[in-house]
Amino acid sequence: DWSSDVCSSDLFEIHDAYPNPFNPVTMINFDIPLAGNVNVTIFNLLGEKVATLVDGKMTAGWKRIPWNARNLPSGIYFYRVRYDRQIFTNKLMYLK
């Protein structure tokens, strides 16, 4: 299950992915205070989109979104979480 009905904050907040560095699965964690549209996208170091993990409405609460990079090369990736008009971006390191 990706969600919890409990939000630890009244704000949209992104948390560190865990584990990071990872091989081959990591969890992207964030809080959303109210139900709304969420987009979680992964980009490579060149800024090319390599995966869209979420693109749609989510309920409020704490979220854990898994990403499996098994078919991609080792390297640095970025995940972007967009909620409402807010965007957060963080770095991931995939080590095979």
Side-chain angles (χ1 to χ4, degrees):
D1 184 66
W2 290 359
S3 65
S4 164
D5 291 335
V6 178
C7 185
S8 65
S9 172
D10 290 336
L11 304 171
F12 170 47
E13 187 173 23
I14 195 168
H15 305 285
D16 290 335
Y18 184 82
N20 189 19
F22 69 100
N23 177 18
V25 177
T26 189
M27 300 299 270
I28 296 168
N29 305 295
F30 57 94
D31 282 308
I32 57 173
L34 300 169
N37 289 320
V38 175
N39 177 278
V40 180
T41 308
I42 309 291
F43 297 91
N44 66 19
L45 200 52
L46 300 175
E48 300 166 328
K49 180 168 56 171
V50 297
T52 299
L53 306 181
V54 173
D55 190 17
K57 191 153 183 126
M58 295 186 96
T59 59
W62 184 71
K63 309 299 178 195
R64 282 175 51 104
I65 310 298
W67 180 47
N68 187 332
R70 180 176 295 128
N71 296 325
L72 294 169
S74 294
I76 295 174
Y77 293 87
F78 296 91
Y79 65 97
R80 181 184 69 194
V81 181
R82 182 173 35 203
Y83 164 75
D84 194 19
R85 295 182 186 161
Q86 301 173 72
I87 298 173
F88 284 107
T89 303
N90 265 348
K91 182 169 68 170
L92 296 165
M93 184 177 294
Y94 177 35
L95 300 174
K96 284 188 176 183

